[in-house]
Amino acid sequence: MRHVLTSGFLAGATLLALPASAEEQTLTAVHAFPETLVYTQSFLEFVDKVNAAGEGVVRIEVRGGPEAIGMFQQPDAVRNGVVDMVYTPGSFYAGALPEKDAMVASNITAIEARQNGGIDLINEIHQEKMGVYYLGWFDSGVSYNLWTVDKPELDADGNLDVSGWKLRGNPVYNAFFTEYLGAQVIDLPTTDVYAGLERGVVDASGWTQIGLMDLKWDDFVNYRIEPDFFSTDLGVIVNLDSWNELSDEAKSILQETAIAHERSSVEKLRELRDEEFAALEEGGMQVVELTGEAASNYLAAAREKTWERMRTQMEKHPMGLEHYDALIEHFYDPSRDPGQ
């Protein structure tokens, strides 16, 4: 768990405290998003919980975020042992593990997925395909919306008309955006969207229900489109060799703290979502809501286009569709669909 780091990594690293004792085991960690973002704050809260519970046994040293290792390079960094732990969306390593799309299309939270064996299955797949241990699915239960600068137009049937949009996309959204909505997308990383909105490069984006104000995108976007879709797929992965080197006590502390944080982060972020929606609407944000068949088709397309992408990409891997049906069964509850 102690690795030779590149000089570029060291230059951006922010070390926390040194281990309290020679016996204490240390895991180095990075996070995908800037420290100011609400999701990163949730991860840092988890780190504090581990370091308190694991005093003298195990601790996590946070080395920084995308300034230390680029957000899209972080999954390979943990896979290759450059760093022990990463907090990142599964979508950032979709090429290696397309099964993460089951979480993107999920309509349940980590609480249910932990209880029904879904997270155990995801962990098994992570270990087999990537050589990493899937410690926990944090900040679940938060969905996505489309956010726009200009008022969205609806066609005669109440469907969203995206003609003329400059829609910011990324691999999480693009199957839904292009294959169902028929949108032309401009791929931009999260850190570049503010400038893209400011310069008119994009005038709409998908984003989660919370965190918009952290990113200051509300300086430009004025409309939120309902219904919400998808789920966040933020999780903590640990280099498998590093995990296996931990004592049983250290593993227990990490796993138990992760499971507790899965639950507490759901509850905390639901409250924050309601607070942020209220603050945004007080600031002038307006809501445009699809209804009836248009809303049902919109939600079904978000889910089914994501499953199609997962199936297509899984077929390219040696394991094929081995877990396809089980993933959908564990991460999707049809009784929660509107109208059911």
Side-chain angles (χ1 to χ4, degrees), residues 97 99 102-103 113-114 116-128 134 314 319 322-331:
L97 205 134
E99 289 88 346
M103 304 171 83
R114 180 68 68 178
N116 72 20
I119 293 180
D120 288 339
L121 176 59
I122 282 289
N123 184 16
E124 175 189 331
I125 296 168
H126 275 75
Q127 292 188 46
E128 185 167 350
Y134 193 86
M314 286 177 68
M319 287 172 62
E322 181 179 347
H323 299 295
Y324 179 80
D325 292 332
L327 286 162
I328 292 175
E329 179 182 346
H330 281 92
F331 286 93

Side-chain angles (χ1 to χ4, degrees), residues 206-221:
W207 187 252
T208 61
Q209 295 173 310
I210 60 175
L212 196 82
M213 293 188 292
D214 291 342
L215 296 164
K216 301 188 185 303
W217 294 0
D218 56 312
D219 289 351
F220 308 103
V221 298

Side-chain angles (χ1 to χ4, degrees), residues 51-112:
N51 291 347
E55 185 174 0
V57 179
V58 64
R59 70 176 289 104
I60 300 169
E61 278 185 0
V62 179
R63 297 285 177 100
E67 78 285 353
I69 298 179
M71 60 174 65
F72 298 114
Q73 286 72 53
Q74 290 179 5
D76 279 341
V78 74
R79 187 178 189 176
N80 297 332
V82 174
V83 67
D84 298 312
M85 175 184 290
V86 167
Y87 170 70
T88 186
S91 299
F92 283 7
Y93 50 88
L97 205 134
E99 289 88 346
K100 62 83 196 172
D101 269 338
M103 304 171 83
V104 172
S106 181
N107 64 352
I108 67 172
T109 69
I111 299 170
E112 290 86 16

Side-chain angles (χ1 to χ4, degrees), residues 129-177:
K129 282 195 165 185
M130 287 185 65
V132 297
Y133 185 90
Y134 193 86
L135 185 63
W137 179 20
F138 294 170
D139 310 319
S140 65
V142 178
S143 302
Y144 288 72
N145 289 94
L146 275 172
W147 307 82
T148 69
V149 173
D150 301 316
K151 185 175 182 179
E153 299 293 333
L154 306 181
D155 66 18
D157 296 319
N159 298 302
L160 194 62
D161 181 0
V162 301
S163 57
W165 280 23
K166 293 176 286 187
L167 178 58
R168 177 257 176 165
N170 73 18
V172 180
Y173 319 124
N174 285 353
F176 172 44
F177 286 179

